[in-house]
Amino acid sequence: MNPQAKLLSITSLFLGSTITITSNHWIMAWTGLEINTLAILPLISKSHHPRAIEAATKYFLVQAAASALLLFSSMTNAWYTGQWDITQLTHPTSCLLLTTAISIKLGLVPFHFWFPEVLQGTSLTTGLLLATALKFPPITLLLLTSSSLNPTLLTIMAVASTALGGWAGLNQTQTRKILAFSSISHLGWMTIILVYNPKLTLITFYLYCLMTIPIFLTLDTIKTLKLTTMSTAWTKIPPLTATLMLMLLSLAGLPPLTGFLPKWLIIQELTKQEMTPTATIIALLSLLGLFFYLRLAYCATITLPPNSINHMKQWQTNKSTKMFITTFITLSTMLLPLSPMIFTT
């Protein structure tokens, strides 16, 4: 891809996200989301492979439909209340339409079908943007309107997302699809606590990004797209593959790693809200995710192929990438001791 075109796309992504996050008016928020959609399309389709073109087409159609719904929701609210302010979304129909629109944009169940397919059709670096950076503006809109949304509907969608993210990921052999279903499952955890403690949703999203970024970058460095190639990739950069197991277990939410912190806080908050059955169900559903994370970790670090393939060891990787991954690996595994700071804020 032309460096100037790539720079323009990435700059547009930053611009679109900034406009949406900082806006008070629905039209400005919608404009930022549209800029994001148009900016990511060249990055999805840059390989010119039929699968990439298909992914870009699916992404465009889904996001255009979600943006139209979001605009219709804000116009309906303005028609009945005279308010274009994002925090003044009070009309019930508008709230329902907004929940649907943001769910489509994020890939929440039952609007999740596009997300694994799009992620499978793109490169790992573009997939990283789709799974982290492009989810931030819609989550910001959910946070701003959280007081107006229907808690029962959000709880049902959250539990369904956690269940489907776990079940559908069990049978996958492609690492990108596994990470897509992992993202859907984590979105369920973020959504279930949204109405009761929006700050906790934001903390969960930040920690999810911290844990997902090094996994995507590691898989991109060792050039692993399938579970079958993962079992032979350990000879390329052994230390990096060894730490991949820790990162996957952190994403699964095992103590004493970073990923345990958001799940612990969410279960604690749900219990305070007298939603103990819901907390129990969502905690049990996370065991499904744990299974396929353990399978990934098993393939990456414990499985030895019957005939080992000779690889050239990459002792000299890109220094900037190496520092970047090292920083995120440290954050994704060792942040749990900071939990007292979160309790005091």
Side-chain angles (χ1 to χ4, degrees), residues 12 46 65 77 121 166 173 182 194 210 238 247-248 299 310 317 334:
S12 300
K46 65 181 177 183
N77 188 66
T173 56
S182 160
L194 178 71
L210 275 181
M247 292 184 280
L248 288 166
C299 288
N310 292 323
T317 53
M334 299 182 182

Side-chain angles (χ1 to χ4, degrees), residues 24-71:
N24 292 319
H25 199 283
W26 276 113
I27 296 296
M28 289 302 292
W30 172 81
T31 305
L33 291 172
E34 287 300 293
I35 291 171
N36 268 355
T37 302
L38 295 175
I40 197 69
L41 289 175
L43 296 175
I44 297 174
S45 59
K46 65 181 177 183
S47 64
H48 301 295
H49 190 273
R51 195 68 193 265
I53 304 300
E54 180 190 344
T57 308
K58 284 179 179 175
Y59 184 78
F60 173 72
L61 292 173
V62 168
Q63 297 297 314
S67 295
L69 264 180
L70 186 137
L71 197 59

Side-chain angles (χ1 to χ4, degrees), residues 101-314:
I102 300 295
S103 300
I104 295 172
K105 280 199 168 289
L106 290 173
L108 274 170
V109 174
F111 310 106
H112 64 282
F113 299 101
W114 64 273
F115 189 56
E117 297 299 322
V118 170
L119 219 63
Q120 179 61 26
T122 64
S123 65
L124 280 163
T125 46
T126 310
L128 173 60
L129 286 174
L130 287 169
T132 55
L134 285 175
K135 290 193 184 297
F136 190 40
I139 283 177
T140 307
L141 291 179
L142 273 183
L143 288 170
L144 289 171
T145 56
S146 59
S147 58
S148 309
L149 302 180
N150 185 343
T152 309
L153 178 63
L154 287 175
T155 302
I156 292 168
M157 291 174 74
V159 172
S161 297
T162 312
L164 185 126
W167 278 115
L170 291 178
N171 204 28
Q172 300 299 328
T173 56
Q174 302 283 336
T175 52
R176 284 170 294 184
K177 277 199 172 180
I178 290 174
L179 289 169
F181 286 115
S182 160
S183 178
I184 292 169
S185 178
H186 277 85
L187 278 170
W189 281 88
M190 294 174 213
T191 309
I192 202 164
I193 204 68
L194 178 71
V195 175
Y196 308 106
N197 194 339
K199 286 182 181 177
L200 196 47
T201 299
L202 205 55
I203 290 168
T204 308
F205 177 71
Y206 287 152
L207 292 176
Y208 165 73
C209 290
L210 275 181
M211 294 181 287
T212 306
I213 289 168
I215 292 175
F216 270 98
L217 293 177
T218 301
L219 293 175
D220 188 49
T221 305
I222 60 179
K223 302 290 183 285
T224 303
L225 297 175
K226 294 185 289 186
L227 290 181
T228 49
T229 55
M230 188 175 265
S231 59
T232 59
W234 68 273
T235 53
K236 292 182 181 179
I237 312 175
L240 193 59
T241 317
T243 53
L244 178 62
M245 181 176 73
L246 281 177
M247 292 184 280
L248 288 166
L249 294 178
S250 179
L251 200 59
L254 283 185
L257 303 168
T258 304
F260 175 63
L261 176 59
K263 293 186 176 178
W264 173 30
L265 294 175
I266 287 170
I267 289 171
Q268 189 180 38
E269 185 65 31
L270 286 174
T271 311
K272 284 180 185 174
Q273 299 292 336
E274 298 181 356
M275 295 174 69
T276 310
T278 310
T280 308
I281 290 167
I282 202 168
L284 289 173
L285 288 173
S286 68
L287 293 175
L288 295 168
L290 176 62
F291 178 82
F292 63 74
Y293 292 126
L294 282 173
R295 188 173 64 155
L296 273 173
Y298 181 79
C299 288
T301 55
I302 303 170
T303 305
L304 287 178
N307 299 310
S308 59
I309 300 167
N310 292 323
H311 286 288
M312 186 73 74
K313 282 190 170 61
Q314 300 178 13

Side-chain angles (χ1 to χ4, degrees), residues 51-94:
R51 195 68 193 265
I53 304 300
E54 180 190 344
T57 308
K58 284 179 179 175
Y59 184 78
F60 173 72
L61 292 173
V62 168
Q63 297 297 314
S67 295
L69 264 180
L70 186 137
L71 197 59
F72 183 55
S73 163
S74 58
M75 287 175 69
T76 307
N77 188 66
W79 180 268
Y80 282 103
T81 65
Q83 288 286 343
W84 281 99
D85 195 294
I86 292 176
T87 55
Q88 301 297 320
L89 190 79
T90 51
H91 195 263
T93 308
S94 299

